């Protein structure tokens, strides 16, 4: 083997090690959604017996608490660790994810499980953000979105394999079994990162104060708004996939993992395509993606009564959402100037504000008695709002560029 082959092989092993961690993050974030009825029945038995809708809505807070952990942890951790070697930071983050997900397996009450979900969310954004910087550096100029997409591949594969498998295990042996598998995945990621991710320097001169300067950039706020509001529509739908399949389409519970596989297949394909499209024309990819997402959510609300149309549309939802994920991440990194560490992590804060808001609003419209298709209409409205924010962002940017040129 020649040196260039050695180098490529080492890079692939490093990126694969990081992708194992992102696979675990995909499982821990999304497996809750397929097991929401099981979790509600186990942790909220009295409420479940009297009102399954209210129990599901309250169980949805576990999704929101995880997302809140991401929102809090992403900028805080990323800003604090920016000066440290990135490979050591990644080891620490993977280890923390292992421990906090293990707590979800053993804690007995809804309140304590909620606390463990919050803790499990804290390292999420920093893991993806710093991992994205490592991947972008490996891929080189002109291929940054592809590097980001590679790290996200673990997340999308989790939605093909990990989430459906975890859902099946949870349905058969109790929902805690799914989180036991998640903890083992993170333990494996910790070992692989320790062995295969080479030394990667941080930025010794960076401080939390200097990192926080990113919030002075108006375009950063626009990008965060697109992620939080526009992508919140995806989570409003995904959070309540299980009752959509069982209550609206009238399918048995065993169909839920199959539908989740279709979602994951769509996400995997969309992630690959999204990285290429964003490198070609980021603006067009972002605007068209949000517009198509809004239309698909509306179709899902109208056609989810038939399991075949529901399954097809769920695949499309997964595809379009994963086209947008690396696009939004790259947009934020592009406008963040020299604040790359915290900007890469802030994207996941924004997406998980969307996660929390989408899950909350979806539960709210269900609890209001509007039915299990109501979250899809909510998702369509949020996607349209995200599109308007993106249009405003590009308009402001174009005006500023024109003023500078004149």
């Amino acid at each position: 083997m020649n040196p260039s082959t050695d180098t490529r092989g080492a890079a692939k092993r490093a990126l694969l090690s990081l992708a194992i961690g992102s696979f675990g993050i995909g499982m821990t974030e999304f497996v809750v959604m397929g097991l929401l009825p099981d979790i509600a029945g186990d942790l909220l038995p009295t409420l479940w017996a009297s009102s399954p809708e209210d129990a599901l809505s309250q169980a949805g807070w576990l999704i929101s608490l995880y997302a809140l952990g991401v929102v809090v942890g992403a900028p805080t951790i990323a800003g604090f660790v920016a000066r440290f070697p990135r490979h050591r930071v990644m080891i620490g983050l993977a280890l923390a994810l292992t421990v906090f997900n293990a707590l979800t397996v053993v804690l007995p009450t809804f309140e304590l499980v909620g606390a463990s979900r919050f803790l499990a969310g804290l390292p999420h954004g920093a893991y993806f953000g710093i991992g994205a910087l490592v991947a972008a550096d490996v891929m080189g100029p002109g291929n940054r979105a592809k590097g980001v997409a590679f790290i996200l591949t673990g997340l999308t594969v989790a939605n093909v394999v990990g989430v459906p498998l975890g859902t099946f295990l949870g349905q058969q042996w109790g929902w805690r079994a799914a989180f036991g598998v998640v903890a083992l995945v993170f333990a494996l990621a910790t070992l692989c990162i320790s062995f295969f991710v080479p030394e990667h320097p941080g930025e010794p001169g960076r401080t939390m104060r200097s990192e926080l300067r990113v919030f002075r950039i108006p375009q950063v706020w626009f990008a965060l708004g697109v992620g939080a509001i526009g992508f919140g529509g995806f989570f409003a739908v995904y959070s309540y996939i299980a009752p959509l399949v069982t209550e609206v389409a009238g399918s048995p519970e065993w169909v839920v993992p199959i539908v989740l596989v279709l979602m994951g297949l769509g996400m995997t394909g969309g992630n690959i395509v999204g990285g290429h499209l964003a490198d070609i024309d980021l603006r067009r990819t972002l605007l068209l993606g949000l517009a198509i997402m809004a239309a698909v959510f509306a179709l899902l609300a109208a056609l989810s009564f038939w399991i075949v149309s529901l399954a097809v549309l769920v695949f499309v939802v997964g595809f379009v959402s994963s086209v947008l994920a690396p696009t939004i991440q790259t947009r934020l990194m592009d406008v963040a100037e020299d604040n790359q560490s915290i900007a890469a992590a802030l994207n996941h804060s924004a997406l998980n504000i969307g996660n929390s808001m989408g899950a909350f609003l979806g539960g709210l419209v269900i609890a209001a008695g509007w039915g299990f298709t109501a979250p899809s209409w909510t998702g369509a409205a949020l996607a349209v709002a995200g599109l308007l924010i993106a249009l405003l962002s590009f308009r402001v940017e174009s005006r500023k560029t024109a003023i500078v040129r004149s």
Side-chain angles (χ1 to χ4, degrees):
M1 295 176 66
N2 58 48
S4 61
T5 303
D6 289 339
T7 301
R8 288 196 299 270
K12 288 179 180 178
R13 287 190 293 272
L15 292 177
L16 181 59
S17 298
L18 297 173
I20 292 172
S22 66
F23 178 91
I25 289 177
M27 278 196 72
T28 195
E29 182 174 16
F30 296 124
V31 77
V32 175
M33 297 162 185
L35 293 172
L36 211 56
D38 304 85
I39 296 171
D42 181 42
L43 296 179
L44 303 166
T46 303
L47 185 59
W48 178 260
S50 61
S51 176
E53 290 85 0
D54 289 342
L56 280 169
S57 179
Q58 186 170 331
W61 276 99
L62 296 180
I63 301 171
S64 298
L65 284 168
Y66 179 89
L68 180 61
V70 181
V71 173
V72 172
T76 304
I77 295 174
F80 177 75
V81 303
R83 64 185 183 274
F84 297 114
R86 288 171 181 159
H87 64 291
R88 294 182 184 176
V89 170
M90 297 303 293
I91 293 171
L93 294 172
L95 182 60
L97 286 161
T98 304
V99 173
F100 294 147
N101 279 278
L103 289 176
T104 301
V105 179
V106 299
L107 293 175
T109 67
F110 179 80
E111 291 77 14
L112 290 174
V113 169
S116 74
R117 297 307 296 153
F118 174 79
L119 291 173
L122 290 174
H124 172 130
Y127 185 98
F128 271 126
I130 296 170
L133 292 176
V134 174
D137 185 57
V138 168
M139 295 298 289
N143 295 292
R144 299 174 72 214
K146 295 184 187 69
V148 172
F150 190 96
I151 293 298
L152 294 174
T153 297
L155 188 149
T156 59
V157 172
N159 282 278
V160 178
V161 180
V163 174
L165 177 61
T167 301
F168 176 78
L169 292 175
Q171 291 172 346
Q172 299 302 312
W173 290 288
W175 62 269
R176 294 178 190 273
F179 288 96
V181 173
V182 169
L184 290 175
V185 169
F186 282 125
L188 176 61
T190 303
L191 290 173
C192 290
I193 292 169
S194 300
F195 285 113
F196 299 122
V197 174
E199 292 190 10
H200 199 283
E203 301 177 79
R206 302 299 292 183
T207 64
M208 175 65 81
R209 183 175 180 179
S210 62
E211 287 290 309
L212 291 177
R213 291 172 188 162
V214 72
F215 292 110
R216 300 178 181 177
I217 305 171
Q219 283 297 332
V220 166
W221 286 102
F222 281 122
L224 292 174
V226 172
I229 297 174
F231 216 79
F234 168 74
F235 291 109
V237 174
Y238 197 3
S239 298
Y240 300 96
I241 281 290
L244 198 65
V245 172
T246 57
E247 305 300 323
V248 178
S251 297
E253 192 177 58
W254 60 263
V255 176
V256 175
I258 297 174
V259 172
L260 291 175
V261 168
L262 292 172
M263 173 75 83
L265 289 171
M267 292 178 75
T268 301
N271 185 59
I272 296 170
V273 173
H276 287 277
L277 292 178
D279 280 329
I280 295 170
D281 192 331
L282 188 146
R283 179 180 297 202
R284 181 174 297 179
T285 301
L286 183 59
L287 296 178
L288 285 178
L290 288 165
I292 293 171
M293 180 178 278
V296 173
F297 288 156
L299 287 172
L300 182 64
L303 301 176
S304 58
F305 297 96
W306 186 34
I307 189 60
V308 175
S309 58
L310 186 152
V312 171
L313 289 168
V314 161
F315 174 86
V316 178
V317 167
F319 184 90
V320 177
S321 68
S322 283
V323 166
L324 285 171
T327 307
I328 296 171
Q329 173 83 77
T330 306
R331 171 64 178 171
L332 187 53
M333 291 166 67
D334 286 346
V335 300
E337 299 174 2
D338 64 341
N339 307 286
Q340 292 295 296
S341 293
I342 195 169
L346 278 172
N347 180 58
H348 297 278
S349 286
L351 296 184
N352 279 273
I353 289 173
N355 188 345
S356 181
M357 179 176 60
F360 171 75
L361 292 176
L364 193 66
V365 294
I366 290 172
W370 294 352
F372 289 112
T373 60
S376 298
W377 291 115
T378 303
L382 290 171
V384 170
L387 175 61
L388 295 176
I389 294 171
L391 287 168
L392 179 60
S393 170
F394 289 127
R395 184 175 180 82
V396 170
E397 186 176 62
S398 297
R399 284 187 173 182
K400 183 177 179 180
T401 301
I403 291 171
V404 171
R405 289 178 178 175
S406 62

